[in-house]
Amino acid sequence: MKYTIPKEELVHPGHLACQGCGGALAMRIMLKTLGKNTILTFPACCWSVIDGPFPYSAVKVPLFHTAFETAAVVASGIKAALNRVGDPKTNSVAWAGDGGTFDIGIQALSGSAERNDDMFYFVYDNEAYMNTGIQRSSATPKGAWTTTTPVNHPKATPKKDILAIMAAHKIPYIATASIAYPEDFTRKLEKAKEIKGFKFFHIFAPCPPGWRANPKDTITLAKLAVETKLFPLLEIEDGEKYTINLPKKDKGKPIEDYLKLQGRFKHLKENDIKEMQTFIDKKYNRLKILEEISQ
Amino acid sequence: MKKDGDKIIFENAADLPDMAKSMGTTRFNKTGTWRNERPIVDTDKCTGCGICWKYCPDMSILEDENGKAAIDYEFCKGCAICVEVCPVKAISMVEEEK
Ligand SMILES: Cc1ncc(C[n+]2csc(CCOP(=O)(O)OP(=O)(O)O)c2C)c(N)n1
Ligand code: SF4
Ligand code: SF4
Ligand SMILES: [Mg+2]
């Protein structure tokens, strides 16, 4: 068999993620590349459940379960302790959901980023509070159904622009990554390993039950998110230098292709879809300009 | 500490460990029982490209002695991602038997 990403598995099967979970695959790819010399910190999120009940664990590295709002600051503390015992090499990794990042964890995240602590922060973004039953977060896209934004009043505001917030911290490395493009993801991880300071990864992670999607479509959806320019794969260095990796062509696929595979968008009317397309095009054009002026 | 296969059994407080991570793994949890449908690999069609292996969220694609994909039915949850991503359509789903 041909292996295009590291072969060694650092996640055990038998974990508790749903069938076709994007967040589970994201962890599998991330740990393969960062390797055994890693300490994880999880706030409350699906991954605190996926890891399994005491005394079992699904990951082959040390793991610290912490309070919902504290992922970044706990990982900062672990890094400080590692430095204190003379081990500057071990990776300290915060791994949080979108709720734990865009909402409740944002002040701890901002603190660690502003101090430029030498650590990784990953948000696996499934666009809602999935673990507690699909409540909207500030990462939920405008128009989406969740249990707290029912179809008669779907989410009214756009998804928070977390990349702009992180870029404003002028941290050395920000990347978006997708489970549909594991080679791109591992390349970025390898690059980030060589960078001292705060590294932020935004991972697009489809959630079949939360998105009312078929588990078989998890990779298709992640791929379409990139191909429609909804979730471009990019890197931002020092908060200023933008590089768009994918999609290669500026003319993306229509957003309908992505929406129609998900029950959470089933109620959208033609006009809503048009509005969404305009939003995506505008945002992508802005990114292109940022890329152009930063080269 | 007592073990029953991959399961860990606690009988009293003295059995509690200092470090949970030193104990067991989720391999005790045979998620293959979750399946409604099972993926079947047609090894004549499979080219051993490794794409299904790369995308399985459950580490349930193994490699057989000829370098072809083999499913680990002990853990495969039956999501059918492998069926979707296979470029030569070598994997198909069949209904699980009771
Ligand atoms: C302070 C606090 N408030 C609420 C909760 C309940 N809670 C646990 S996980 C969770 C949702 C997490 O959502 P997200 O961060 O997006 O991760 P996901 O479950 O989607 O993976 C909530 C609300 C909590 N554990 N702590
Ligand atoms: S609810 Fe969604 S994110 Fe959570 S384990 Fe299930 S598929 Fe994964
Ligand atoms: S059906 Fe899903 S869990 Fe089973 S081998 Fe295929 S991708 Fe893995
Ligand atoms: Mg979430």
Side-chain angles (χ1 to χ4, degrees):
Chain A
M1 204 134 80
K2 206 173 139 200
Y3 297 98
T4 54
I5 57 172
K7 197 176 165 189
E8 191 186 4
E9 301 291 356
L10 292 180
V11 179
H12 290 287
H15 64 63
L16 298 185
C18 308
Q19 288 147 318
C21 174
L25 180 56
M27 173 67 79
R28 177 179 173 234
I29 301 168
M30 184 279 281
L31 272 187
K32 273 175 177 295
T33 321
L34 282 198
K36 268 212 140 106
N37 218 5
T38 297
I39 299 177
L40 291 173
T41 300
F42 293 170
C45 59
C46 274
W47 252 102
S48 16
V49 177
I50 297 170
D51 186 57
F54 175 86
Y56 306 96
S57 173
V59 291
K60 298 186 189 173
V61 299
L63 156 63
F64 197 88
H65 286 282
T66 184
F68 202 5
E69 58 277 46
T70 63
V73 70
V74 169
S76 285
I78 288 173
K79 190 67 202 185
L82 284 168
N83 285 338
R84 186 66 189 248
V85 297
D87 172 7
K89 277 242 160 78
T90 297
N91 306 308
S92 182
V93 169
W95 179 271
D98 49 290
T101 302
F102 289 60
D103 294 340
I104 193 167
I106 199 164
Q107 65 88 12
L109 169 59
S110 177
S112 296
E114 190 275 332
R115 289 188 303 274
N116 198 23
D117 288 340
D118 185 24
M119 56 176 275
F120 291 82
Y121 190 103
F122 294 92
V123 49
Y124 70 100
D125 184 4
N126 51 27
E127 305 196 312
Y129 293 75
M130 295 309 179
N131 180 40
T132 41
I134 326 174
Q135 293 85 14
R136 64 88 100 183
S137 76
S138 57
T140 304
K142 184 175 178 183
W145 164 92
T146 66
T147 55
T148 48
T149 50
V151 292
N152 53 356
H153 45 94
K155 175 117 180 319
T157 52
K159 185 182 177 96
K160 191 187 274 182
D161 191 350
I162 195 76
L163 291 182
I165 294 172
M166 296 318 293
H169 286 74
K170 308 290 178 209
I171 51 177
Y173 193 66
I174 297 168
T176 60
S178 169
I179 54 164
Y181 298 89
E183 294 83 3
D184 171 85
F185 190 5
T186 52
R187 178 188 67 78
K188 287 168 176 168
L189 288 163
E190 290 294 354
K191 183 170 174 180
K193 267 200 228 174
E194 305 304 318
I195 297 170
K196 209 174 143 56
F198 198 83
K199 288 137 319 233
F200 182 84
F201 278 77
H202 184 191
I203 313 168
F204 192 79
C207 163
W211 294 9
R212 297 294 190 251
N214 191 320
K216 78 175 169 59
D217 289 331
T218 290
I219 304 301
T220 310
L221 281 169
K223 207 172 200 159
L224 278 169
V226 174
E227 290 172 344
T228 58
K229 304 182 294 182
L230 174 70
F231 192 86
L233 296 183
L234 55 87
E235 293 166 280
I236 309 171
E237 283 154 278
D238 303 315
E240 271 158 19
K241 185 170 182 285
Y242 283 67
T243 311
I244 303 174
N245 317 113
L246 281 170
K248 285 259 187 302
K249 278 183 261 156
D250 291 340
K251 183 160 169 32
K253 287 192 176 167
I255 193 62
E256 279 110 311
D257 292 5
Y258 168 80
L259 300 176
K260 69 184 179 207
L261 293 175
Q262 305 171 65
R264 66 174 173 153
F265 294 118
K266 215 171 64 192
H267 55 281
L268 293 187
K269 302 271 183 302
E270 216 182 300
N271 254 354
D272 304 320
I273 297 173
K274 243 192 214 147
E275 193 191 311
M276 199 182 268
Q277 187 68 62
T278 310
F279 177 79
I280 291 167
D281 291 343
K282 262 194 180 161
K283 208 169 156 214
Y284 185 77
N285 289 343
R286 225 180 92 87
L287 271 177
K288 289 297 279 187
I289 292 167
L290 285 170
E291 183 184 43
E292 218 176 286
I293 59 173
S294 65
Q295 294 304 311
Chain B
M1 182 184 85
K2 274 196 194 162
K3 273 196 149 189
D4 170 12
D6 288 330
K7 280 199 183 138
I8 292 160
I9 299 167
F10 291 128
E11 285 178 335
N12 52 50
D15 289 339
L16 288 173
D18 299 331
M19 271 283 290
K21 293 291 297 182
S22 60
M23 309 215 54
T25 77
T26 46
R27 290 192 77 95
F28 84 94
N29 187 31
K30 309 301 180 200
T31 47
T33 58
W34 297 13
R35 268 196 320 269
N36 293 315
E37 292 183 300
R38 67 163 53 206
I40 311 271
V41 182
D42 180 342
T43 45
D44 290 336
K45 280 193 191 163
C46 172
T47 62
C49 67
I51 293 177
C52 59
W53 169 82
K54 185 170 73 176
Y55 289 123
C56 174
D58 288 279
M59 288 64 65
S60 296
I61 305 276
L62 310 174
E63 182 177 350
D64 74 8
E65 57 285 355
N66 303 314
K68 308 282 175 92
I71 312 285
D72 183 351
Y73 292 113
E74 205 176 5
F75 295 107
C76 162
K77 292 174 183 166
C79 68
I81 284 177
C82 50
V83 177
E84 278 302 293
V85 299
C86 174
V88 296
K89 300 209 180 321
I91 314 179
S92 51
M93 297 302 277
V94 298
E95 195 153 334
E96 195 56 65
E97 282 161 36
K98 240 172 104 183

